[in-house]
Amino acid sequence: MLVDPLDTSELAVRGLYGYTHIMVYSRTLARPVAAVVGDIFHHVQIYLAFRDVSGGDCAFIITEDGDEHLLDRPSSASLTEALVTNYMMRPEQRFQPLAEQQEFINALSAPARDGKARGRIGVDFGSIGLCHVAAGFSDAMIEFAKGFAIWDLSPGHYILHAAGGSVIDLYGALIPLDYDLGSLSEIKSAMKRRQKFIAAGNIELANEIRTTLHT
């Protein structure tokens, strides 16, 4: 079981954002079988995914009033109409590398099919950012500067996968759900790795973003 009890703690103490990530990983199946990302401060409070009795994966959100909604229709947007998020809060480590991605910014700023500039950049955080893509609240999330640790990426990765979205590396390969957690030594190694990625509601958007990024 992988637990991040209070992600974005520097903002949680200000009452702005605060998320709890939990993922259950089967070493026998070499993949996650359940994940929950809890959102402390907002109306949509729980994002979850699990492996059902038939061996398929499904994802849901639960609101603060207890309503459940299936997640199976992530974004079908193209880049010119997409809201793409990034963890850009650290000025030198994160924001500056994003600001230097001129080809990506130009592509996102290009007119959409209706002739209007609809592309947007937003800020998001850890696994909750991938959950927002899964729910269709945003269209994609990118991380190319430093990479996410396994506890920041994997719960949201699984939820987005279960919802029908895609997570690829910067070379275009799908990032597998197998995080190499089969032995104690592999677990220790996995805790040290950081993964750069593009998460999107559809694989076409993920690849469209990839072709504009230079790292």
Side-chain angles (χ1 to χ4, degrees):
M1 184 173 292
L2 188 67
V3 179
D4 187 352
L6 188 58
D7 191 37
T8 322
S9 55
E10 61 191 289
L11 294 179
V13 297
R14 300 172 184 261
L16 296 173
Y17 299 98
Y19 313 105
T20 297
H21 304 168
I22 301 173
M23 187 182 76
V24 179
Y25 184 93
S26 169
R27 291 163 61 187
T28 301
L29 297 175
R31 72 190 306 280
V33 292
V36 178
V37 178
D39 187 339
I40 298 170
F41 297 115
H42 297 96
H43 177 65
V44 177
Q45 294 193 330
I46 295 177
Y47 301 79
L48 63 96
F50 58 89
R51 182 179 172 89
D52 63 23
V53 293
S54 67
D57 299 301
C58 51
F60 293 84
I61 57 174
I62 302 176
T63 63
E64 62 181 343
D65 49 16
D67 289 342
E68 298 180 10
H69 302 273
L70 177 68
L71 299 182
D72 63 352
R73 296 176 181 272
S75 170
S76 60
S78 60
L79 184 54
T80 56
E81 56 192 7
L83 169 59
V84 182
T85 64
N86 177 255
Y87 180 62
M88 62 177 81
M89 288 189 62
R90 295 183 181 273
E92 185 175 1
Q93 294 179 340
R94 302 281 191 170
F95 179 77
Q96 186 170 321
L98 176 62
E100 292 171 351
Q101 292 289 336
Q102 194 61 56
E103 186 175 346
F104 165 71
I105 291 172
N106 290 344
L108 190 60
S109 302
R113 285 169 289 187
D114 62 1
K116 297 182 179 180
R118 298 192 176 278
R120 298 290 186 268
I121 295 175
V123 62
D124 221 328
F125 315 90
S127 267
I128 194 69
L130 286 86
C131 292
H132 291 157
V133 178
F137 299 151
S138 59
D139 303 299
M141 185 179 191
I142 57 176
E143 169 51 37
F144 57 86
K146 185 178 180 182
F148 277 12
I150 185 174
W151 52 85
D152 285 323
L153 176 60
S154 56
H157 177 194
Y158 178 52
I159 291 170
L160 179 55
H161 163 83
S166 300
V167 185
I168 64 173
D169 64 23
L170 300 187
Y171 301 99
L174 285 170
I175 297 175
L177 294 175
D178 180 359
Y179 279 86
D180 295 325
L181 303 178
S183 66
L184 184 59
S185 61
E186 287 175 327
I187 291 171
K188 289 181 178 179
S189 177
M191 294 301 110
K192 298 177 182 178
R193 291 196 302 267
R194 286 189 169 269
Q195 177 69 60
K196 299 178 181 181
F197 66 89
I198 302 165
N202 63 85
I203 190 64
E204 293 80 12
L205 175 57
N207 281 313
E208 195 176 0
I209 293 171
R210 181 183 61 82
T211 62
T212 71
L213 292 177
H214 299 279
T215 60

